[in-house]
Every structure is written in C-alpha cells, then in structure tokens.
Amino acid sequence: MTAVLMDGKALAAKVRAEVAREVEEIGVSIGLATVLVGEDPASAVYIRRKQEACREVGIEPIDHKLDESLSEEGLLAVIEELNADDRVTGILVQLPLPEQIDEDRIIRAVHPIKDVDGFHPTNAGQLFQGNPTFAAATPSGIMELLREYDVALKGARAVVVGRSNIVGKPMALLLLAEHATATIAHSRTQDLGAVTKDADVLVVAVGRPETVTAGMVKAGATVIDVGINRVNGTLVGDVSVDVRDQAGLLTPVPGGVGPMTIAALLRNTVRAARYQAGQLAFPLDGR
Ligand code: NDP
C-alpha cells in the first residue's frame, strides 16, 4: 500500500479563501499583533508566513520585533499595551522566548479574548471542558484536515505521541470531542510501538526524526506527522519515509500540518475580532 498524501497546502489555500470572504462579510477591522523577541531565524520565518497569510485575507498584521535582551517586565509592558489597544484584536507571541523570560507568565498576560493561539489557561480550560473558544492552531488545523479527508473518528482508536500544551494535549482533547478513543503517549511510554500500532489515527508531535517507523503503524492507518526537524539542511518530520508503504493517509513534511496551522490561526483571529465586536459571545470576561 502507498499512502495517499494529505495536501495541507491545498486545503489551507481553500481555508484562506473562505476566511477572506468572512473578513469581508463581517465588516470589522481585524489586527493581529505578532510579537517576536530576538533573532531566531526559524521563528522569523514563521512570523513572516503568518503575516503574509494575514495580509492575503484582509487581516492587518501589526509587527512587534523586540530585542533579544528584553526583560520579562519589558515584554509584559508590551503585552499590556496590546491588550488595551482597540486596533489589536488578536495577539500572537512567537515561542520559544529567550531564557530570561518565563513563557507561562507571558501566556497568562495575554487577554483571553485576544489569545488567538489558545494557550491562555482560560482558553485551554474551555477546551478541556468541551466548550472551546480558541483551540490551539496546530491541532485545530489537523482536525480540519481529518474532516477534509473524511477520516472516521467516532469510536476510532487515536494515539497522540507528545504531550505538550501546544500540540499533544489539545490534539487529544479535540479527538476525544469527536468521540475517538484517545491515548497520549510520551517519552516515558513503554513499548511505544505497541501503543502506536493500535492506532487508526496516529498523530506524532515529538520533534525527533524517525520516532515512528513502518513497523509501529497499523496497515491503512491515518498518520499525521507534526514534527519539523532540520536534517542536513532538509526539513523532515517525526515519521520515517517507510511509513508511506504502511499508512492509508499521511501528511507530508513540508506541506501537511504546517500550512494548516496558519490557516487555523487565521480562523481564530477572525473569531477573536467577532468576540470583541459582540458578534459572538465570549463566555468569560476576566482571566
Ligand atoms: P515539545 O518538545 O514541547 O514536546 C515533545 C513531546 O514529545 C513531549 O511530550 C515528549 O515527552 C515527547 N517525546 C520526546 N521524545 C519522545 C520519544 N522518544 N518517544 C515518545 N515521545 C517523546 O514539542 P511540541 O509539541 O511543541 O512540538 C513537537 C514537534 O512538532 C516539533 O518538531 C515542532 O517543531 C513541531 N511543531 C510543528 C508545528 C507545525 O505547524 N507543523 C507546530 C508546532 C510544533 P515528555 O513530555 O515525556 O518529555
């Protein structure tokens, strides 16, 4: 069997067109503040792509490039300004942050109604309780890809490898919400291959090349490769190439999950603007 590749690039283009129409229809101005601290080249590329996608759909990107040496208090002050600025309807802080800054503190400082990444405990908690406001972009984009390819989730065995707050945990919650039997595996999981081989839907978000090989995959399974690793100058995922002969559906790297992450971010950004315009009810005011 050779897996059908799930074309995240094509679906993301479709989503962008939909979002552009929605932006026109709702008639409120939408501004996404992008905050980048330091010079990390990969982060700079991600920010640029997100800003380009915003422009394409009629969202104004508001660029904040800050010095690598910025203190935590300094960044908190910037976030407070953005929270108070009506032109800014969404705030995105590119992670990772320099080591002198406590990421959790910054995540909590972003007002939940502008938290388009869905990382604030209020929004993460809403997802946990089954009433999502902003769900994290990467898992949301993956859900859209699974829907597009008609992947059956109800009653399916879904295994997520990786338990970060950004990808693994929200991914498992979204799969659970669609009635999959969701399992989360991680670095302490014993006999990872036995766990992954049980999966009808396998999401791998580890950040290590070749974490999952063909022998660890059920024949015909849907395999979502979230990993982005640079090996000898080439981008590779967490899933080895031989999985193509074992999976039924597979996301390529690049061109699978990455574009869908940005597409989902755009959807969240529009949602934030609609909450603030009173077109949608945000369930909580405070933090
Ligand atoms: P983290 O480093 O935060 O989490 C990695 C997870 O993988 C941890 O839970 C860790 O377990 C687990 N893990 C590490 N080694 C193993 C192993 N050998 N076996 C099983 N589990 C293991 O990473 P992120 O979740 O932020 O990102 C994961 C990957 O996805 C990265 O490559 C990242 O670049 C990529 N990514 C891609 C995006 C996209 O748009 N395509 C967006 C976001 C991330 P433990 O908790 O026990 O340490």
Side-chain angles (χ1 to χ4, degrees), residues 5 28 36 53 64 159 180-181 211 214 220 228 247 249 279 286:
L5 293 181
V28 294
L36 174 64
H64 287 264
V159 172
T181 302
T211 300
I228 302 176
L249 287 166
Q279 295 181 358

Side-chain angles (χ1 to χ4, degrees), residues 234-246:
T234 308
L235 282 190
V236 298
D238 291 344
V239 169
S240 71
V241 284
D242 57 3
V243 170
R244 281 199 185 193
D245 300 326
Q246 183 73 359

Side-chain angles (χ1 to χ4, degrees), residues 3-8 142 145-146 149 202-204 222-227 237 239 243-244 247-258 260:
V4 171
L5 293 181
M6 301 170 88
D7 191 343
I142 292 170
L145 204 49
L146 292 172
Y149 282 83
L202 176 61
V203 181
V204 190
T222 297
V223 180
I224 306 293
D225 188 354
V226 184
V239 169
V243 170
R244 281 199 185 193
L249 287 166
L250 174 67
T251 56
V253 177
V257 173
M260 289 310 298

Side-chain angles (χ1 to χ4, degrees), residues 138 161-164 167 186-187 192 205-208 226-228 257-258 261:
T138 300
V161 189
R163 56 175 164 181
S164 69
V167 188
H186 46 77
S187 69
L192 181 65
V206 167
R208 286 164 50 123
V226 184
I228 302 176
V257 173
T261 294

Side-chain angles (χ1 to χ4, degrees), residues 45-56:
V45 170
Y46 294 144
I47 284 284
R48 206 170 52 239
R49 286 200 191 131
K50 289 167 186 175
Q51 292 175 335
E52 280 163 13
C54 282
R55 279 190 207 96
E56 187 187 324

Side-chain angles (χ1 to χ4, degrees), residues 29 31-33 60 62 64 78-91 111 113-114 276:
S29 59
L32 177 65
E60 183 194 359
I62 301 163
H64 287 264
V78 172
I79 304 285
E80 277 315 313
E81 261 175 45
L82 298 175
N83 281 340
D85 185 344
D86 288 342
R87 195 168 68 108
V88 173
T89 50
I91 301 172
H111 194 289
I113 208 168
K114 297 190 177 185
Q276 283 153 76

